[in-house]
């Protein structure tokens, strides 16, 4: 890959005492130069205490928000502080396979694309597998992304300068989906590694667990992106169709 590349891993955390150690360890075992920025968003449980043992790691920085900012703005805190050439996102209840970042950096450097994602394996809250893998296309375009959000947030590696063009917004919608759409609308394509390098924990209480609420938020993304009512209805039907196929 030529000159040394560094990845800034951004991990927002809110009341993540049950899972965050596994997430952190999965980052620290990656075989690339990295920094881990953990943004503790005013957790009320033992998250801060658990993170104390990692604050002595030279490549780990724990940031304590002075007030609860929500996941989108917490990720933005990390984006602003990042020193790496690339940014990777990981939620505190998910974790990665070893070698994930190395493979994605090689893919990004080879293709010249600005964003990479991977497939995922769905996990139960206790960390056991549900036996369900969800893949990703090798190339994802803006029209494809409008039909279904095939980019899992916790799998993404993207150029830092691109993340800083847009940042994340609208916690009340799918803030990550908005960012991917903005990036692909400008840059055309993202690359996918069709391997379940992301272990995606189906925790209770997540925004995507309430399917009715998630669908309403998804439609709101189309309207926020300036897509007309008829086109939004068409893409929403495509989203429902792909969603049924994905989880069947």
């Amino acid at each position: 890959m030529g000159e040394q590349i560094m990845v800034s891993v951004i991990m927002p955390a809110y009341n993540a005492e049950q899972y965050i150690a596994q997430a952190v360890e999965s980052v620290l075992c990656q075989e690339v130069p990295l920094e881990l920025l953990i943004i503790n968003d005013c957790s009320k449980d033992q998250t801060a205490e658990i993170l104390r043992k990692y604050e002595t790691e030279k490549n780990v920085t724990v940031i304590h928000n002075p007030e609860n900012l929500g996941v989108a703005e917490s990720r933005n805190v990390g984006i602003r502080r990042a020193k790496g050439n690339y940014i990777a996102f990981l939620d505190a209840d998910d974790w990665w396979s070893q070698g994930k970042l190395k493979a994605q950096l090689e893919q990004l450097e080879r293709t010249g694309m600005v964003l990479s994602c991977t497939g995922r394996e769905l996990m139960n809250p206790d960390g056991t597998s549900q036996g369900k893998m969800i893949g990703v296309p090798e190339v994802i375009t803006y029209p494809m992304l409008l039909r279904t959000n095939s980019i899992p947030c916790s799998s993404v590696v993207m150029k830092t300068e691109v993340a800083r063009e847009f940042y994340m917004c609208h916690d009340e919608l799918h803030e990550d989906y908005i960012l991917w759409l903005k990036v692909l609308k400008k840059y055309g394509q993202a690359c996918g590694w069709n391997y379940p390098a992301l272990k995606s924990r189906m925790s209770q209480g997540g925004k995507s667990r309430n399917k009715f609420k998630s669908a309403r938020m998804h439609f709101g993304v189309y309207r926020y992106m300036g897509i007309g009512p008829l086109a939004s209805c068409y893409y929403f039907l495509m989203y429902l169709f792909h969603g049924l196929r994905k989880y069947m």
Side-chain angles (χ1 to χ4, degrees), residues 95-137:
W95 71 98
W96 292 335
S97 296
Q98 192 167 357
K100 173 188 178 291
L101 291 184
K102 183 178 180 181
Q104 286 181 275
L105 288 181
E106 290 173 351
Q107 184 185 46
L108 285 164
E109 293 289 297
R110 184 179 70 253
T111 63
M113 295 186 192
V114 301
L115 187 151
S116 167
C117 63
T118 78
R120 56 186 171 134
E121 179 180 2
L122 302 186
M123 314 300 291
N124 293 308
D126 64 1
T128 58
S129 176
Q130 293 186 357
K132 176 72 173 178
M133 314 288 180
I134 299 179
V136 292

Side-chain angles (χ1 to χ4, degrees), residues 127-197:
T128 58
S129 176
Q130 293 186 357
K132 176 72 173 178
M133 314 288 180
I134 299 179
V136 292
E138 186 175 327
V139 175
I140 303 167
T141 65
Y142 179 70
M144 291 167 63
L145 195 64
L146 283 171
R147 292 178 176 87
T148 179
N149 182 11
S150 54
I151 300 179
C153 185
S154 285
S155 80
V156 164
V157 178
M158 66 187 301
K159 285 191 174 182
T160 302
E161 63 208 56
V162 174
R164 286 177 177 156
E165 280 188 68
F166 303 107
Y167 289 95
M168 288 199 175
C169 63
H170 289 283
D171 250 334
E172 77 281 5
L173 302 175
H174 291 300
E175 71 287 334
D176 55 337
Y177 187 31
I178 290 173
L179 177 56
W180 318 148
L181 285 169
K182 288 180 177 178
V183 170
L184 266 64
K185 188 174 184 179
K186 178 173 180 178
Y187 291 95
Q189 295 181 333
C191 51
W193 179 31
N194 192 27
Y195 177 81

